[in-house]
């Protein structure tokens, strides 16, 4: 059986190990995922410019291996909440191409009347709110928060990042009326289970949603 290519569209391997662990944890036996990052593009994705830059880098990766990718992989997951380049990759390949962010939001609207998104750093807020509005989901949004940690802090699961996520999650559940929490960065993936235990509500993260 062909593997799932789980592509984090940044020029860093910082999330590869965590993405691989998360995929192995949630995929059934016999289904294998390979965590991939790029050699060009942004170091993290927080703004519209970052998203467009990541999409261009994804297309470079895809075009450079256009014949090899369908032979080796049975599906592609773009492992970023912003889902850069998803539509373009669908035109290039006769393969399922899944945006991890769209997959997480799809689960959220099935599980929860209202949900909260927690992203990273404040400059991601306008971008995230615009995206939700474009998908017609603003009415389902209870609140939208951003932690102060950058990607490196999130990837290391430092106590500070987890503490901020937990505080926002408690506010979302207790004050904002959220029925589920959506983690708006794949760098938060490995904190989802601990958050869910503390908050007693569904915590959805994009990497798992993308490969499901």
């Amino acid at each position: 059986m062909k593997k799932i290519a789980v592509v984090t569209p940044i020029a860093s391997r910082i999330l590869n190990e965590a993405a691989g662990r998360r995929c192995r944890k949630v995929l059934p036996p016999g289904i294998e995922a390979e965590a991939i990052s790029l050699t060009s593009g942004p170091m993290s994705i927080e703004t519209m410019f970052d998203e467009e830059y990541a999409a261009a880098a994804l297309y470079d990766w895809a075009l450079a291996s256009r014949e090899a990718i369908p032979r080796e992989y049975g599906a592609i997951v773009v492992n970023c909440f912003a889902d850069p380049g998803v539509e373009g990759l669908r035109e290039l390949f006769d393969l399922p191409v899944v945006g991890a962010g769209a997959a997480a939001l799809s689960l959220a609207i099935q599980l929860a009347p209202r949900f909260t998104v927690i992203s990273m750093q404040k400059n991601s807020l306008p971008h995230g709110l615009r995206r939700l509005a474009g998908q017609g989901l603003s009415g389902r949004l209870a609140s939208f928060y951003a932690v102060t940690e950058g990607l490196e802090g999130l990837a290391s699961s430092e106590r500070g990042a987890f503490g901020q996520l937990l505080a926002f999650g408690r506010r979302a559940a207790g004050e904002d009326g959220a029925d589920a929490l959506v983690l708006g960065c794949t760098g938060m993936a490995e904190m989802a289970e601990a958050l869910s235990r503390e908050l007693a509500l569904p915590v959805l993260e994009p990497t798992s949603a993308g490969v499901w």
Side-chain angles (χ1 to χ4, degrees):
M1 182 175 292
K2 294 180 180 179
K3 298 177 288 188
I4 301 171
V6 179
V7 188
T8 303
I10 58 174
S12 170
R13 297 176 55 84
I14 192 170
L15 296 183
N16 285 10
E17 289 187 10
R21 285 193 299 268
R22 195 66 186 162
C23 291
R24 288 191 294 272
K25 190 163 190 174
V26 302
L27 285 171
I31 304 296
E32 182 182 352
E34 181 178 352
I36 300 167
S37 55
L38 305 179
T39 57
S40 63
M43 298 302 291
S44 65
I45 299 173
E46 303 166 26
T47 64
M48 288 299 298
F49 176 83
D50 293 336
E51 183 179 340
E52 297 295 337
Y53 188 14
L58 264 174
Y59 298 153
D60 286 342
W61 166 78
L63 290 171
S65 304
R66 190 170 185 177
E67 294 184 3
I69 286 171
R71 290 198 301 266
E72 188 167 355
Y73 303 108
I76 298 170
V77 174
V78 177
N79 189 42
C80 175
F81 188 73
D83 297 336
V86 168
E87 297 297 335
L89 291 181
R90 286 173 178 161
E91 292 182 358
L92 279 176
F93 297 112
D94 187 20
L95 295 173
V97 178
V98 176
L105 291 171
S106 177
L107 282 175
I109 61 176
Q110 294 177 73
L111 293 174
R114 301 183 75 216
F115 59 87
T116 286
V117 176
I118 306 179
S119 190
M120 68 170 184
Q121 301 191 320
K122 288 185 178 180
N123 58 352
S124 69
L125 288 173
H127 178 212
L129 290 169
R130 177 179 175 181
R131 181 203 179 164
L132 290 167
Q135 293 180 300
L137 296 177
S138 296
R140 303 287 293 273
L141 185 67
S143 48
F144 198 127
Y145 297 111
V147 300
T148 58
E149 298 285 347
L151 186 59
E152 186 172 347
L154 292 176
S156 63
S157 297
E158 293 178 353
R159 183 175 297 179
F162 182 81
Q164 290 179 68
L165 288 168
L166 183 58
F168 285 137
R170 285 173 172 159
R171 186 186 303 177
E175 301 176 19
D176 304 333
D179 305 290
L181 196 65
V182 179
L183 302 184
C185 176
T186 53
M188 302 172 180
E190 294 197 295
M191 292 181 264
E193 291 181 14
L195 283 169
S196 186
R197 289 193 298 269
E198 292 282 348
L199 297 171
L201 82 169
V203 179
L204 307 171
E205 53 84 11
T207 301
S208 295
V211 295
W212 282 338

